[in-house]
Amino acid sequence: MIRFVDATKIYSNGVVGLKNVTVKIDKGEFVFIIGASGSGKSTFLKLIMHEETPTEGEVYVNGYSVHNMPKSEVPYLRRSLGIVFQDFRLLPNKTAYDNVAFAMQIVEALPREIRRQVPLALGLVGLSKKAKAYPSQLSGGEQQRVALARALVNNPAVLIADEPTGNLDPKTSMEIMELLDEINQRGTTVIVATHEKSIVDAMKKRVITLDRGELISDVKKGSYTNED
Amino acid sequence: MKIRTLRLLAKEGTKNVYKNKLMSFASLATILATLFVLGLVLLIIVNVTTNLEAKKQDLQVKFYLRVDATRLEEEEVALFIEQSRASGVVAEYQYESREQAYENAKKDLKYEALMEGLTPENFAVGYFVTLTNPNDSDQFIARLKLFSGVDSQWITYPKQELERISGMVRVFNYVALFVIAVLMVISILLISNTIRLTVFARRKEIEIMKYVGANDWFIRFPFIIEGMLIGLLGALLSHLLTSQAYGWIKDGLNTLFNSIKISGLQLVEFGELSIRILVVNVLFGVTIGIIGSFMSVKKHLNV
Ligand SMILES: Nc1ncnc2c1ncn2[C@@H]1O[C@H](COP(=O)(O)OP(=O)(O)OP(=O)(O)O)[C@@H](O)[C@H]1O
Ligand SMILES: [Mg+2]
């Protein structure tokens, strides 16, 4: 499903983002990417979503080879992914409903499908009642739920989340994590970058640890400190 | 892209016009100002060209038959001129018979003694012909010379005057074209700058759309619709404004011409040009809007 083969990312200013990472994430897995600040977690995810391309090595995502990918194919790669960010990234002048619908309009879904799927997605994240609210009228947790609904609505094979709970309080964070777990139960591969110890420890999922761009450990049912 | 997607995006672009009121207003003002200037420039061009063309129309081909031309030869020429008018080559003409020439001469000459012994038979038949297209004069004169009745030495046409006017028209057209091109470039720069501000304010949105997997056209199309609508609105407003302003200018200039006794100059009525000016306004407005949008979104699409 996702495969890094000796992937290295050196940014244009010479900073090493990722160094010789080889790893494989299978369909249906739930994976945490952890490590200190600057260890390369975001870089790892950016390579998956083709925000950055590897300087050396290869990254394969859902059958796409990210290296030398033509610019026109990037939207298709991104549509096979659901992406969630720390800062939610909702379109400010669209309601919760329209933000989710947007992801379906991009893939030119039938209006009938959109009317069916969007309420389902909003229901799944528990936001049916706030469908008409604009992002500015929603709390951080609610905004992140909308972002999750948007990431899910097209049934992507993989869901990527970069510090999805970074701006949320512990209780809300746990709720979002439970949602991610639920989504994972339904068959979607989930990859979460985080440095929140409590969450990683509670979830007992596969944990990949990065340190200064290098993959230093990869544990099946890990915890933040890797003493499994 | 599917039709329903295009419709959706067109709706999106339309909504954006009034959701981003300030930017829409700024773009509208820019387009309005440039189209207004363009409209006035066009009106100046049309007026100058029209007056120059009118001057060309005043130039006449004058020719006389030989004094000893026979009736048959006279009729031949008369028939030719009449046919030329029927076919539209000749716009209008005046005919001067031998008698009229005699009478005119008598009026003009101060000393009646000089007229003594002269009868109308000593005078030649004359024609003063206005051609529909002054540029046909060479050809027309060549054909006249084929008639045995025509006195080919006395065919006159103010060719130098024509060439002078044609030259002026030509130079003026080049200048006008240049001015319009400059205006067009300036307005595209201005408008793309304004739209760039809009796009810059919305670059986060563009970025988000790209993350969700929107392709370039999906993002670009609403902006283009937006630019097009603003261009169209600017064109219509500019048309109203131009017509008002031209009315005032025309009245003012006509009063001025009258007071300083310039005659022969006349300003074209706006009504005659209204549709043409509107078409130019709309074409320019919409083109400027579209190109402006296109240029300003371009940069931000490389996320
Ligand atoms: N666009 C960039 N240009 C240059 N250097 C970059 C860029 N993005 C990241 N880096 C550098 O690459 C290294 C890895 O960054 P990355 O963002 O992947 O870390 P991270 O693990 O996500 O950190 P954090 O927990 O703070 O989000 C850092 O040293 C960072 O400064
Ligand atoms: Mg990061």
Side-chain angles (χ1 to χ4, degrees), chain A residues 46-122:
Chain A
K46 283 174 183 171
L47 287 179
I48 296 177
M49 64 178 99
H50 200 277
E51 188 182 330
E52 301 287 352
T53 47
T55 319
E56 271 170 54
E58 259 298 359
V59 176
Y60 301 95
V61 179
N62 297 337
Y64 293 95
S65 164
V66 167
H67 205 67
N68 296 328
M69 181 179 235
K71 203 172 159 285
S72 59
E73 266 196 45
V74 176
Y76 297 99
L77 165 74
R78 298 221 173 127
R79 289 173 203 175
S80 75
L81 305 169
I83 309 178
V84 175
F85 296 94
Q86 180 172 358
D87 55 358
F88 323 133
R89 302 199 189 174
L90 299 175
L91 295 167
N93 51 13
K94 284 185 190 295
T95 60
Y97 183 97
D98 287 336
N99 261 287
V100 179
F102 181 77
M104 291 191 79
Q105 288 161 353
I106 281 176
V107 296
E108 308 203 87
L110 288 167
R112 167 160 41 90
E113 279 293 291
I114 296 179
R115 281 194 297 273
R116 203 163 63 92
Q117 294 294 332
V118 174
L120 280 181
L122 284 172

Side-chain angles (χ1 to χ4, degrees), chain A residues 51 71 75 78-79 83 89-91 93-94 102-103 105-106 108-109 111 150, chain B residues 1-2 4-5 8 12 19 205 208-216 218 302:
Chain A
E51 188 182 330
K71 203 172 159 285
R78 298 221 173 127
R79 289 173 203 175
I83 309 178
R89 302 199 189 174
L90 299 175
L91 295 167
N93 51 13
K94 284 185 190 295
F102 181 77
Q105 288 161 353
I106 281 176
E108 308 203 87
R150 177 180 68 189
Chain B
M1 216 181 270
K2 296 199 174 79
R4 69 161 180 279
T5 309
L8 181 94
E12 187 76 21
K19 272 196 175 155
E205 262 178 76
I208 294 169
M209 292 179 185
K210 295 222 82 168
Y211 279 123
V212 183
N215 63 27
D216 289 357
F218 202 95
N302 297 319

Side-chain angles (χ1 to χ4, degrees), chain A residues 6-28:
Chain A
D6 211 15
T8 295
K9 174 69 194 177
I10 299 166
Y11 286 103
S12 51
N13 58 359
V15 175
V16 177
L18 217 57
K19 202 162 146 194
N20 302 101
V21 170
T22 299
V23 71
K24 184 159 157 268
I25 298 170
D26 283 320
K27 188 169 156 49

Side-chain angles (χ1 to χ4, degrees), chain A residues 32-217:
Chain A
F32 281 116
I33 313 292
I34 65 168
S37 183
S39 58
K41 303 184 292 294
S42 295
T43 304
F44 186 88
L45 298 185
K46 283 174 183 171
L47 287 179
I48 296 177
M49 64 178 99
H50 200 277
E51 188 182 330
E52 301 287 352
T53 47
T55 319
E56 271 170 54
E58 259 298 359
V59 176
Y60 301 95
V61 179
N62 297 337
Y64 293 95
S65 164
V66 167
H67 205 67
N68 296 328
M69 181 179 235
K71 203 172 159 285
S72 59
E73 266 196 45
V74 176
Y76 297 99
L77 165 74
R78 298 221 173 127
R79 289 173 203 175
S80 75
L81 305 169
I83 309 178
V84 175
F85 296 94
Q86 180 172 358
D87 55 358
F88 323 133
R89 302 199 189 174
L90 299 175
L91 295 167
N93 51 13
K94 284 185 190 295
T95 60
Y97 183 97
D98 287 336
N99 261 287
V100 179
F102 181 77
M104 291 191 79
Q105 288 161 353
I106 281 176
V107 296
E108 308 203 87
L110 288 167
R112 167 160 41 90
E113 279 293 291
I114 296 179
R115 281 194 297 273
R116 203 163 63 92
Q117 294 294 332
V118 174
L120 280 181
L122 284 172
L124 181 71
V125 298
L127 263 190
S128 298
K129 288 204 178 104
K130 305 267 179 161
K132 291 209 174 91
Y134 285 90
S136 58
Q137 301 167 325
L138 295 171
S139 73
E142 287 167 339
Q143 288 185 56
Q144 195 59 299
R145 284 163 195 270
V146 177
L148 260 177
R150 177 180 68 189
L152 291 174
V153 75
N154 286 328
N155 282 316
V158 180
L159 192 126
I160 296 171
D162 194 355
E163 318 236 10
T165 59
N167 285 346
L168 305 175
D169 63 53
K171 182 170 165 288
T172 318
S173 296
M174 225 35 235
E175 284 166 11
I176 294 286
M177 277 302 153
E178 274 155 23
L179 258 176
L180 286 175
D181 196 22
E182 213 178 304
I183 290 157
N184 176 244
Q185 302 293 318
R186 295 151 60 105
T188 305
T189 313
V190 175
I191 306 172
V192 182
T194 185
H195 45 217
E196 280 176 70
K197 182 179 189 306
S198 56
I199 286 177
V200 178
D201 289 347
M203 301 285 286
K204 301 253 178 297
K205 301 287 186 189
R206 179 175 172 190
V207 177
I208 293 173
T209 311
L210 297 176
D211 181 24
R212 276 161 281 178
E214 283 181 271
L215 192 156
I216 53 165
S217 87

